[in-house]
Amino acid sequence: MSEIKIVDLKANVLEDNDKLAEKTRERLNIEHTFLLNLMSAPGSGKTTTLTRLIETLKDEMKIAVMEADIDSDVDAIRIKEAGAESVQLHTGGMCHLDADMTCQGLDSINSKDYDLVVLENVGNLVCPAEFDTGATKNAMILSVPEGDDKPLKYPLMFQVADVVIINKTDVMPYFDFDLVKAKKNILMRHPGIEIIPVCAKTGEGIDKLADWIRKEVRK
Ligand SMILES: Nc1nc2c(ncn2[C@@H]2O[C@H](COP(=O)(O)OP(=O)(O)O)[C@@H](O)[C@H]2O)c(=O)[nH]1
Ligand SMILES: [Mg+2]
């Protein structure tokens, strides 16, 4: 089994989060590194989607993933096995990452060595939406079993996202998830936002998501 680096993050309550987030975006710009902050409820398929993306993109760009969790290193191991660099960030019980914690993660992997860094945020639809991590773009995953009404209940998450991935489309026949209604609810919260349905289990739709990432990384 591969050795996983574990970073215990320290909370810094004194720093102005929004200012540090802006500084982080400037740093990433200079480094030519695209940082994607990936958010969702626990179990929506963040790690599975990332392993599919890594399989698709690893020969065209240098990729690292920062796995934020309260404990364990299982997701960082899955990422390493998929073929990307990974680091496990432990949040000390916090349910989200702020800009300072994100910087600690970026330092631990030497972010300038990568074209694409993904932060897999802590599984939660509330707190991660409230803290700007300094990421270049935010993505969120809504999975079919969670229901097509999630955008009505968690408005901020859909407002701060730049792309919404609808995952687990394979189980659509078993849930009363209405894709048209889901898209309508998402667009009501965030007009014009990109919505990409995928099935991380089979890989269906991952090409479209990979295209979105290619376009953003080139910018
Ligand atoms: N049926 C189905 N299951 C999926 C899909 N994507 C992920 N899963 C399963 O959902 C569970 C949680 O996935 P994981 O990637 O660990 O979610 P995370 O907590 O958001 O990182 C696992 O059992 C996955 O195998 C999918 O597209 N379809
Ligand atoms: Mg995960």
Side-chain angles (χ1 to χ4, degrees):
M1 199 171 281
S2 25
E3 276 281 300
I4 296 295
K5 181 171 173 182
I6 295 179
V7 179
D8 288 308
L9 301 173
K10 309 264 183 302
N12 176 0
V13 287
L14 297 175
E15 189 85 42
D16 179 328
N17 192 68
D18 288 344
K19 250 190 230 158
L20 187 57
E22 275 314 318
K23 260 198 263 172
T24 305
R25 265 186 290 277
E26 282 163 26
R27 159 195 175 162
L28 291 163
N29 207 12
I30 292 164
E31 294 180 353
H32 299 289
T33 300
F34 176 76
L35 174 63
L36 184 68
N37 174 28
L38 181 59
M39 301 175 283
S40 82
S44 302
K46 294 181 293 301
T47 311
T48 312
T49 301
L50 286 176
T51 59
R52 286 286 182 188
L53 272 175
I54 290 162
E55 286 163 16
T56 310
L57 294 170
K58 68 179 172 188
D59 295 332
E60 358 172 345
M61 56 181 83
K62 290 193 74 185
I63 307 172
V65 177
M66 307 192 289
E67 283 290 342
D69 278 300
I70 288 168
D71 207 345
S72 105
D73 60 0
V74 288
D75 282 355
I77 292 170
R78 285 169 69 192
I79 294 297
K80 208 156 209 177
E81 286 172 355
E85 196 45 68
S86 72
V87 64
Q88 183 73 52
L89 309 178
H90 283 169
T91 63
M94 301 276 273
C95 58
H96 66 272
L97 258 72
D98 59 21
D100 183 64
M101 290 166 138
T102 304
C103 279
Q104 293 173 49
L106 291 171
D107 291 342
S108 78
I109 55 161
N110 262 324
S111 52
K112 65 173 179 339
D113 294 344
Y114 299 95
D115 305 302
L116 168 66
V117 177
V118 182
L119 168 63
E120 182 180 327
N121 215 315
V122 185
N124 186 317
L125 285 178
V126 183
C127 314
E130 290 169 3
F131 288 84
D132 190 347
T133 58
T136 325
K137 288 279 160 86
N138 293 321
M140 77 86 56
I141 300 181
L142 167 64
S143 71
V144 166
E146 293 166 66
D148 52 36
D149 56 359
K150 274 288 166 302
L152 305 179
K153 300 175 183 172
Y154 300 92
L156 188 62
M157 178 54 80
F158 291 86
Q159 281 157 15
V160 302
D162 298 291
V163 58
V164 175
I165 301 154
I166 298 180
N167 187 34
K168 308 197 186 181
T169 52
D170 58 316
V171 297
M172 208 112 66
Y174 312 107
F175 290 86
D176 57 353
F177 185 97
D178 184 332
L179 187 59
V180 174
K181 216 189 266 175
K183 286 182 173 173
K184 196 172 141 230
N185 288 339
I186 294 165
L187 289 168
M188 191 253 291
R189 291 299 184 206
H190 192 150
I193 191 175
E194 183 112 25
I195 301 169
I196 305 177
V198 305
C199 176
K201 188 177 176 180
T202 62
E204 207 182 327
I206 293 293
D207 272 349
K208 189 147 184 255
L209 182 58
D211 278 344
W212 183 85
I213 288 182
R214 282 186 190 103
K215 200 178 71 205
E216 292 296 330
V217 168
R218 256 185 256 129
K219 278 186 200 164

